[in-house]
Amino acid sequence: MDSFLIRGGTRLKGKIEISGSKNSSLPIVAACLLADGPTRLHGVPRLSDIDSMNKLVGELGCHVFRNEPAASGHDGPPLNGPLDIEVRDEKVSHARYDIVKTMRASICVLGPLIAKRGRAQVAIPGGCAIGDRPVDLHIRGLMKLGAEFRTEGGDIVGEVPKGRRLKGCNLYLGGAQGPTVLGTINVMCAAVLAEGNTVLVGAACEPEVVDCANLLKKMGAKITGEGTPEIKIEGVDKLIGCEHRVIPDRIELGTFIIAAALTNGELELKHCNLDHLVAVVDRLEEVGVKIVRENGTVFVSSSRRLNPVEMTTQPYPGFPTDLQAQLMALLCLGDGMSVITERIFQDRFLHVGELNRMGAKIRKEGPTAIIQGVRELQGANVMASDLRASAALVLAGMVARGTTKIDRVYHIDRGYEKIEQKLRAVGADIERIEEK
Ligand code: EPU
């Protein structure tokens, strides 16, 4: 397993190009199972989770081809070539445990398979580092549309009864923790091919839901209200492949904004959409970070006098749980006491112990972390535990005194495209130690 070696104390300065969104691309690749004919996707990042999803849809009968990149015209790593996906064979509808256990987003094939093939067998995703992550809401929504479910040897098997079709209805998809992002997408992907109208109430409003709806509409689906808690869908008989560019990755953007703030740096972040981070900008401006936007570029600077803040993670448009760990790394150096409450995944605090190993002063109380700002962090050996916790450790390593070694960076490779190359290009002292 590879690790990162980071020598702290450098100031980030320069341009970074934001990649396409991982969390948009994963369900969008799965949604290609719904279409007849080829779909061409632009901006899909090269990440290990995307490789897993490509492999999965490949096993489910898709031909998947990654084209060569076009010349980038800038200094950073080259852009990705488009991804072509076409269903060639609908015989296999089984998402095996071998793939599902490496990537929970495999659950995204459930809705498309049931809607298009009338049958899906998907291994039940187990727990993961950020807590228990049930899929009951996905199943409840698909059952309302008429699918029948049973479990079989660790798999969920969903079927549309013989001679029938999914049938549109009014359904509520909220859960105890609020709406579900992938659950909304799964049910939306099934309802587009159902007979009649569906009203999905309590839908997630995340930009990734809107992006998937936009893809489906290009394929011929009839959807309105995406981006609000009530999505209306008029079922159609078939969908046809299309061309689509996935939205920029808002979590990568937020991570680099925090990187600039922490290192007292000045970054110019290209090809991004700050409208997707309104709550994050609100908190960061309160901290004292200067964020200016011009067209699709965001300029960030900071004098590194960091005010303490309070923040609670919430469904969109609230502060995203996927940036909670990175904000915590920043607040470790705040001028006083900050409070972070995690409302989406209440156990998502694995980074706390590792940040404390680097000299932070963080105390957990249930779903809340109390962060007493310190004057400096020190380099240490730390362990990546989940994707966003690992990103927080990279941020902390760049500002810590001395050297930080982060083990198990495969977690970062799941979600940050070429992160060490991007950071090195703007002055970070970070290298990957490959395990032979
Ligand atoms: N939930 C249920 N039942 C369900 C589904 C969800 O109780 O059937 C609960 C979850 O346990 C959680 C809350 O609802 O408490 C919200 O979870 P959600 O379903 O929205 O999460 P997800 O769709 O599985 C996506 C992202 C996550 C991100 C969350 C929340 C992808 C591939 N994953 O997961 O991203 O944290 O939404 O915004 O899109 C990451 O990128 O690091 C990551 C974990």
Side-chain angles (χ1 to χ4, degrees), residues 22-23 26 105 130 132-138 177 179-182 321-322 344-345 348 387-388:
K22 164 185 88 88
N23 287 351
L26 290 169
I130 63 177
D132 192 20
R133 294 176 66 185
V135 291
D136 56 313
L137 298 172
H138 301 231
Q177 257 66 48
T180 160
V181 179
L182 295 183
T321 172
D322 291 344
I344 310 293
F345 297 111
R348 197 174 200 179
L387 169 57
R388 309 302 174 185

Side-chain angles (χ1 to χ4, degrees), residues 52 137 147 188 201 241 286 357 364 377:
S52 302
L137 298 172
M188 178 172 74
V201 181
E286 187 85 11
R357 298 198 69 244
K364 261 188 318 176
L377 294 174

